[in-house]
């Protein structure tokens, strides 16, 4: 009887450890696919999508006046909080002419698997031609992919194998209005 009780407690402990080591790799890829992969041309587009996904910005809202004029220079940042814990963030920087600013869009998350993330990126984001990059730390994995149809856009990934297993996916592009 005591053996069963000890075995049951051990199983509960393992289940708790698995829950504590939740894998947010799919969440990170999904958020990136919804926020950055569509290559929004305006900061207000990023803000609208991020807000609908539960991201909260400490800054004020992006106004139409901020997006007008010969040049845009806007950094939008927001964080994703779930169960009282910050599990992700995003940023998008728009700089240049309002009809085609340079954009760098990044989504980060914690609790990400360094082994699972590259495969999810390739499958879900249709990324191709992966180039693993050297890192000074064996616990840090870096890679980049080509995305899009001949556009030459590059998607970059950075992921840590050590706790809190933080990772980011980033893309740079020119935000042409469609």
């Amino acid at each position: 009887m005591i053996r069963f009780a000890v075995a049951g407690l051990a199983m509960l402990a393992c289940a708790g450890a698995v829950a504590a080591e939740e894998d947010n790799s799919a969440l990170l890829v999904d958020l990136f696919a919804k926020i950055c992969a569509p290559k929004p041309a305006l900061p207000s587009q990023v803000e609208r999508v991020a807000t609908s996904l539960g991201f909260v910005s400490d800054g004020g809202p992006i106004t139409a006046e901020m997006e007008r004029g010969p040049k845009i220079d806007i950094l939008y940042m927001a964080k994703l909080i779930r169960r009282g814990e910050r599990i992700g963030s995003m940023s998008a920087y728009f700089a240049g002419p309002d009809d085609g600013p340079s954009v760098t869009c990044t989504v980060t998350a914690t609790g990400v698997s360094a082994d699972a993330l590259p495969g999810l990126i390739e499958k879900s984001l249709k990324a191709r031609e992966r180039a693993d990059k050297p890192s000074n730390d064996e616990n840090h994995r870096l890679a980049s992919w080509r995305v899009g149809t001949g556009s030459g856009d590059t998607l970059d990934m950075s992921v840590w194998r050590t706790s809190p297993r933080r990772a980011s996916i980033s893309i740079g592009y020119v935000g042409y209005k469609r």
Side-chain angles (χ1 to χ4, degrees):
M1 183 71 144
I2 291 176
R3 284 187 196 172
F4 291 118
V6 171
L9 288 174
M11 288 175 60
L12 283 174
C14 286
V18 170
E21 290 292 322
E22 183 178 349
D23 184 7
N24 289 322
S25 302
L27 173 67
L28 174 60
V29 172
D30 183 56
L31 292 171
F32 183 85
K34 291 175 179 171
I35 298 170
C36 298
K39 299 182 189 175
L42 294 170
S44 58
Q45 293 170 321
V46 168
E47 178 184 43
R48 198 169 25 260
V49 172
T51 301
S52 74
L53 295 170
F55 283 85
V56 177
S57 176
D58 290 335
I62 296 182
T63 63
E65 292 79 37
M66 296 167 77
E67 296 177 327
R68 283 195 202 119
K71 293 206 178 230
I72 294 177
D73 185 13
I74 298 173
L75 173 62
Y76 176 76
M77 297 176 16
K79 56 189 168 192
L80 181 63
I81 309 263
R82 295 224 175 124
R83 298 181 301 270
E85 185 178 322
R86 180 177 170 177
I87 61 166
S89 63
M90 63 83 41
S91 65
Y93 179 55
F94 292 77
D98 68 345
D99 62 343
S102 295
V103 182
T104 302
C105 190
T106 305
V107 179
T108 66
T110 58
V112 174
S113 167
D115 297 323
L117 188 58
L120 288 170
I121 288 172
E122 289 166 359
K123 181 179 177 185
S124 300
L125 300 173
K126 296 180 179 44
R128 63 190 188 285
E129 300 174 28
R130 180 170 83 200
D132 291 311
K133 297 179 178 182
S135 173
N136 294 333
D137 187 325
E138 64 187 37
N139 289 313
H140 190 205
R141 186 171 184 183
L142 302 167
S144 64
W145 291 263
R146 289 178 41 93
V147 291
T149 55
S151 64
D153 288 332
T154 302
L155 182 146
D156 293 303
M157 173 204 78
S158 171
V159 61
W160 287 91
R161 287 184 169 92
T162 52
S163 186
R165 300 183 307 138
R166 188 175 324 279
S168 68
I169 304 173
S170 182
I171 189 169
Y173 60 91
V174 175
Y176 295 111
K177 294 180 183 174
R178 298 178 238 318

